[in-house]
Amino acid sequence: MKYLLKNGAVWTKRNRIIKDLYIDGDRIVGGFSTNEADRIIDLTGLEIFPGFVDLHCHLREPGFSKKETVESGTKAAAKGGFTTVVAMPNTSPVLDNPWEMESYLKYLEDKATVRVLPVAPLTKGRQGKELADLGSLRSLGVRFASDDGNDIQDAFLMRSALSYASDHEMTVLSHSEVESLAQGFIHEGYLTTEYGIKGISSSSESIAVARNLLLAKEVDARIHFCHLSTKESVSLIKLGKEMGIKVSAEVTPHHLYFSDLDVIPFETVYKVNPPLRETEDRKTLKAALLSGVIDVVATDHAPHTKEEKAKTLSEAPFGISSIEIAASIVNTCFLDTHLLYEALCYKPYQILGEKNDLEPGDLADVAVFDPNRKYTVSADNWVSKGTNSPYFGKTLQGEVCLTIRGGKIVYEKK
Amino acid sequence: MVTQAITAPKRGIHSIREMSTNDIERILDLARDFKAGKAINKLSNKTVALFFSENSTRTKLSFQLAATKLGAQVLDLNQDTSSISKGESLADTVMTLQAMGADCVVVRHNQSGITQYLQKYVTVPIINAGDGWAEHPSQCLLDLMTIREYKRFNGLRVLIAGDILHSRVARSNKIALEKLGAKVEFTGPKILMPPNTQKALWPESLTRTDVLILLRLQKERQTQGLIASLDDYHLMYGLTEKNLELLPEESLILHPGPVNRGVELAESVLEDHRCKVQEQVTNGVYVRMALIALALEGRGIVEISA
């Protein structure tokens, strides 16, 4: 198919240019005559971004298809403007060997609406005991490794894992956490004191960030920090960058939008790990994203079933489902399309080691965004199977209206 | 399977936080009347279910006795032998108790906020008999009843000492006493104080204390790495005989029990004229009678005349 996207503001190489964009097959092309176009779409007043990249989501397959499937999760991602998503390995079974990973990659080709990059576990079964077969997984094209929510507690093994991953040019995605300080359910602070709820201390994250940074430095590994939530972690990342460590970092939409003062006590929809922290933390995270200390926004989209989230605060699982509205949340927080480009396109493509400048020859992965449209988030047209969203009823500004993946329209707002 | 939660107006007795000072005074007045011999006899066909999933002897017996004194039947669900141990959810369990005809369910559980959670699933009132670290309304109210027999709340200086972090008693008492105009301070080992909590000087603060509430120290705090030893705790944070001398003559000493002799207080404190531990236990039954009666009144089951 040939598409002509007319009059939009095209984001390319950190510039914004009003021009027409030509798509032929799966590629951006230099041009063709108007009457050759199968469809001409007028995008006056809209922003045309390279397709968004989510470096952190949970698609739940194999093992937890009641929460989400590759099909439903990638449809939700397409609605959110994402054309590439990085899927965490907390599946059942954990895909820690090349034969299972190979058949999973085939399954993705069949079911996924957008490109999915699966993450290898660092250790077998994510058990934190023995290293996984990262070499063979890398040769299948897997670029990231992580034990996801279970940070390797043993520092010696973590250092080995970082070293082994870097040997195969894999980036380690680090959910940094000292487990003994993270046995609670919400941020340790005002609410835990007031209501007698077990808390998760800020130090549970920042201590582990410090440890993992220094280990990465020692073995010259590339490390990416997931969902940072504390101001102390931000200071450490800044220090790490000054020290020349190969480090990047992400923040989630919910840590930018909410603080612990927004949490309704005992409401499980706010139960997320790392927890929603204090106003000061939120301010610091926003400033760090603007200054580039934090590189990207990643969703940590974590869908769960209604039944699971209907359990008690102690029993319900951690997680917020947000991939389909992530760009709207970020835009609402900053009202800054340049930041959106940096945090969801430019920097994440850099971390992937790829380029997408919407130039002739580039793959036609495109997200069209209306930065001015306001809407109220509703469960009615929700795409993800996970309805665990604290955003229902909130009014957001900015909405994805069209997503193109490899030259195919994968989402179009009606 | 999780059954759909119903949404309904405020029912049950879950926390001191959601009570007004009028609510609190009404409960205390009714408890006082019961103590003075007031009787209501409309509960003979009613059933009070007890669902205690944490060890508790005195609170459970106290609720049991309170229900019996009101003429109600008692249905006692023991978690060890119940279907909870077969994996039934807590919500399903209280729904079963309701279906069996319980008119009121008294719940003790180690999860904070559990009674408000369970109340969404049933129409019969749930009474909180202690939830996690959060609240212990009946203990708080019996403390208030005991204090009120000697003191006025307005301007009262209260010091709560010990393991504040894990204490639902400390939390409920602070909320209630501050609502009633008292000034409440906490003291104890720093590691057992919740974040952002002011810590009063110990033992110096004792000289300006009207009511001292000592908390029970769970012995497992030592193996959890939170205290060094029971002896060290007693010497540094306990009400020793020496510290007792700092406490004004007309002050009161309360303790929710059971007491660890030689840990949070010296043996001899229990014989001191200021110590009201036994009166607290006595008042506990009357407070719990009041809570059961009022919970059922809220459902239109009984009428409590003035």
Side-chain angles (χ1 to χ4, degrees):
Chain A
M1 298 284 268
K2 288 183 178 174
Y3 295 112
L4 169 52
L5 311 185
K6 280 189 78 67
N7 304 324
V10 178
W11 288 83
T12 173
K13 294 181 175 170
R14 294 179 136 165
N15 287 313
R16 178 177 181 271
I17 305 160
I18 308 243
K19 65 168 187 181
D20 297 341
L21 202 64
Y22 296 86
I23 296 170
D24 185 0
D26 65 350
R27 299 281 151 178
I28 307 285
V29 295
F32 42 72
S33 67
T34 308
N35 54 20
E36 277 182 75
D38 293 290
R39 193 171 156 198
I40 300 169
I41 308 173
D42 183 19
L43 301 179
T44 308
L46 304 180
E47 308 293 314
I48 305 181
F49 292 114
F52 299 147
V53 176
D54 186 5
L55 289 176
H56 192 139
C57 75
H58 300 269
L59 295 180
R60 303 301 190 202
E61 278 190 315
F64 306 100
S65 53
K66 280 188 182 159
K67 296 174 193 272
E68 191 82 286
T69 60
V70 167
E71 198 175 341
S72 63
T74 56
K75 268 189 188 146
K79 182 183 167 199
F82 293 97
T83 52
T84 298
V85 300
V86 172
M88 283 293 167
N90 58 338
T91 54
S92 179
V94 176
L95 307 175
D96 56 6
N97 57 73
W99 53 91
E100 277 179 335
M101 183 58 84
E102 203 167 3
S103 65
Y104 186 61
L105 291 170
K106 288 206 181 89
Y107 179 75
L108 290 176
E109 262 173 48
D110 190 32
K111 298 283 183 193
T113 302
V114 301
R115 180 171 62 151
V116 178
L117 302 176
V119 177
L122 277 173
T123 65
K124 290 192 182 79
R126 297 194 314 114
Q127 295 295 307
K129 298 211 171 71
E130 290 174 37
L131 298 179
D133 292 350
L134 294 186
S136 329
L137 292 165
R138 181 71 185 98
S139 36
L140 292 171
V142 178
R143 305 183 218 178
F144 296 102
S146 175
D147 269 359
D148 190 44
N150 305 77
D151 198 11
I152 298 176
Q153 298 295 296
D154 182 299
F156 182 87
L157 183 64
M158 184 60 182
R159 192 174 65 163
S160 287
L162 281 159
S163 171
Y164 194 52
S166 73
D167 234 0
H168 299 289
E169 292 177 334
M170 293 172 102
T171 300
V172 171
L173 306 177
S174 169
H175 167 123
S176 291
E177 178 179 294
V178 176
E179 282 176 3
S180 63
L181 292 169
Q183 295 299 304
F185 316 113
I186 58 171
H187 171 63
E188 185 176 274
Y190 167 76
L191 277 185
T192 55
T193 295
E194 195 70 5
Y195 287 88
I197 302 170
K198 212 169 187 185
I200 300 174
S201 75
S202 289
S203 60
S204 70
E205 175 180 294
S206 42
I207 290 172
V209 167
R211 181 198 77 161
N212 291 333
L213 256 181
L214 295 173
L215 294 175
K217 176 175 188 283
E218 210 156 63
V219 298
D220 193 28
R222 192 171 287 283
I223 188 164
H224 172 83
F225 287 94
C226 303
H227 47 52
L228 293 182
S229 68
T230 73
K231 54 184 192 297
E232 293 81 8
S233 298
V234 170
S235 304
L236 289 162
I237 298 299
K238 188 160 180 280
L239 181 68
K241 289 188 168 178
E242 283 160 11
M243 288 166 76
I245 300 169
K246 296 171 184 166
V247 57
S248 54
E250 78 195 26
V251 60
T252 70
H254 44 272
H255 289 107
L256 295 170
Y257 188 90
F258 293 110
S259 75
D260 66 340
L261 296 181
D262 300 307
V263 172
I264 300 168
F266 305 111
E267 287 293 326
T268 60
V269 77
Y270 298 96
K271 183 179 176 185
V272 65
N273 190 26
L276 304 169
R277 304 277 188 194
E278 296 176 18
T279 319
E280 264 314 295
D281 294 300
R282 193 180 111 191
K283 263 197 216 158
T284 310
L285 292 166
K286 286 177 80 170
L289 186 65
L290 281 165
S291 70
V293 169
I294 291 178
D295 302 86
V296 307
V297 170
T299 66
D300 192 9
H301 172 70
H304 292 292
T305 65
K306 267 203 180 75
E307 288 76 11
E308 290 164 317
K309 277 291 193 182
K311 290 181 181 177
T312 65
L313 183 67
S314 334
E315 294 161 350
F318 289 99
I320 286 174
S321 166
S322 69
I323 199 164
E324 60 201 87
I325 54 169
S328 304
I329 301 163
V330 180
N331 190 61
T332 306
C333 291
F334 293 95
L335 297 178
D336 178 347
T337 43
H338 185 258
L339 180 100
L340 220 52
Y341 171 73
E342 292 285 320
L344 289 172
C345 313
Y346 187 77
K347 298 276 184 66
Y349 278 111
Q350 265 192 334
I351 292 169
L352 288 181
E354 293 178 1
K355 122 180 172 65
N356 183 352
D357 295 318
L358 301 179
E359 282 185 325
D362 285 345
L363 198 63
D365 280 5
V366 179
V368 179
F369 189 75
D370 179 349
N372 298 315
R373 197 189 124 72
K374 289 185 180 167
Y375 68 101
T376 300
V377 184
S378 153
D380 293 344
N381 49 4
W382 200 250
V383 171
S384 165
K385 288 178 89 168
T387 51
N388 45 312
S389 162
Y391 298 98
F392 290 142
K394 306 262 185 229
T395 298
L396 300 179
Q397 177 170 344
E399 192 176 27
V400 172
C401 28
L402 178 69
T403 308
I404 298 172
R405 157 68 193 151
K408 262 179 62 184
I409 293 178
V410 288
Y411 171 76
E412 187 168 9
K413 190 181 155 46
K414 275 148 205 125
Chain B
M1 191 203 78
V2 170
T3 319
Q4 194 64 38
I6 48 165
T7 41
K10 197 173 99 180
R11 278 170 279 101
I13 293 167
H14 305 290
S15 69
I16 298 292
R17 187 183 300 277
E18 65 190 14
M19 288 182 194
S20 65
T21 52
N22 277 345
D23 293 338
I24 293 172
E25 274 164 14
R26 174 140 196 259
I27 296 166
L28 296 181
D29 288 348
L30 186 58
R32 180 197 58 205
D33 294 349
F34 280 133
K35 194 177 184 179
K38 180 188 175 88
I40 49 169
N41 281 323
K42 292 185 180 166
L43 294 185
S44 53
N45 295 323
K46 303 304 163 200
T47 303
V48 174
L50 303 180
F51 175 25
F52 278 57
S53 82
E54 251 189 353
N55 281 341
S56 152
T57 308
R58 57 179 64 209
T59 305
K60 188 167 169 181
L61 285 178
S62 185
F63 267 110
Q64 196 165 355
L65 192 56
T68 313
K69 281 190 162 202
L70 289 168
Q73 309 288 313
V74 174
L75 184 65
D76 181 2
L77 184 81
N78 184 335
Q79 172 152 356
D80 296 339
T81 54
S82 81
S83 47
I84 290 275
S85 58
K86 297 178 194 163
E88 188 180 46
S89 79
L90 295 173
D92 286 334
T93 302
V94 289
M95 285 191 289
T96 304
L97 290 171
Q98 170 173 268
M100 282 174 178
D103 297 289
C104 162
V105 184
V106 182
V107 175
R108 155 71 62 96
H109 199 274
N110 65 7
Q111 290 189 40
S112 300
I114 193 72
T115 68
Q116 285 102 326
Y117 171 84
L118 292 174
Q119 189 70 78
K120 290 188 243 166
Y121 291 88
V122 289
T123 53
V124 296
I126 292 178
I127 298 177
N128 183 357
D131 63 323
W133 306 349
E135 284 233 31
H136 198 342
S138 67
Q139 177 68 46
C140 167
L141 289 159
L142 74 87
D143 291 348
L144 296 179
M145 180 175 178
T146 309
I147 294 169
R148 201 174 74 158
E149 288 174 347
Y150 297 91
K151 306 275 186 191
R152 295 164 55 117
F153 293 115
N154 199 23
L156 193 73
R157 293 166 303 179
V158 181
L159 181 63
I160 306 180
D163 180 358
I164 308 291
L165 177 64
H166 301 98
S167 177
R168 50 193 172 219
V169 177
R171 216 158 252 114
S172 287
N173 271 320
K174 183 174 165 63
I175 296 167
L177 286 160
E178 286 180 349
K179 280 186 189 194
L180 294 165
K183 187 171 178 296
V184 181
E185 291 192 295
F186 287 153
T187 188
K190 198 169 163 187
I191 192 79
L192 295 176
M193 306 286 288
N196 319 319
T197 309
Q198 280 285 335
K199 173 177 161 169
L201 280 180
W202 179 269
E204 292 83 343
S205 308
L206 285 172
T207 57
R208 49 183 168 82
T209 294
D210 299 317
V211 177
L212 172 65
I213 302 176
L214 295 166
L215 300 173
R216 177 182 162 79
L217 182 81
Q218 303 291 334
K219 290 181 178 160
E220 66 261 27
R221 302 295 175 230
Q222 188 174 334
T223 51
Q224 290 169 345
L226 291 167
I227 65 157
S229 70
L230 298 180
D231 286 347
D232 216 39
Y233 183 89
H234 180 60
L235 288 172
M236 295 299 123
Y237 310 102
L239 189 61
T240 57
E241 286 184 31
K242 193 159 156 268
N243 288 343
L244 183 60
E245 290 170 17
L246 299 173
L247 204 60
E249 264 308 296
E250 64 290 358
S251 64
L252 307 176
I253 303 168
L254 304 184
H255 189 298
V259 170
N260 290 309
R261 289 165 189 254
V263 182
E264 56 266 11
L265 44 69
E267 183 99 36
S268 61
V269 172
L270 293 165
E271 274 91 59
D272 193 275
H273 68 279
R274 288 164 284 190
C275 182
K276 304 300 173 196
V277 170
Q278 295 308 319
E279 287 167 68
Q280 286 175 275
V281 176
T282 306
N283 287 340
V285 178
Y286 299 112
V287 158
R288 288 167 180 127
M289 287 172 75
L291 291 178
I292 293 170
L294 289 167
L296 294 178
E297 184 201 43
R299 291 202 72 206
I301 289 176
V302 289
E303 269 177 48
I304 305 164
S305 51

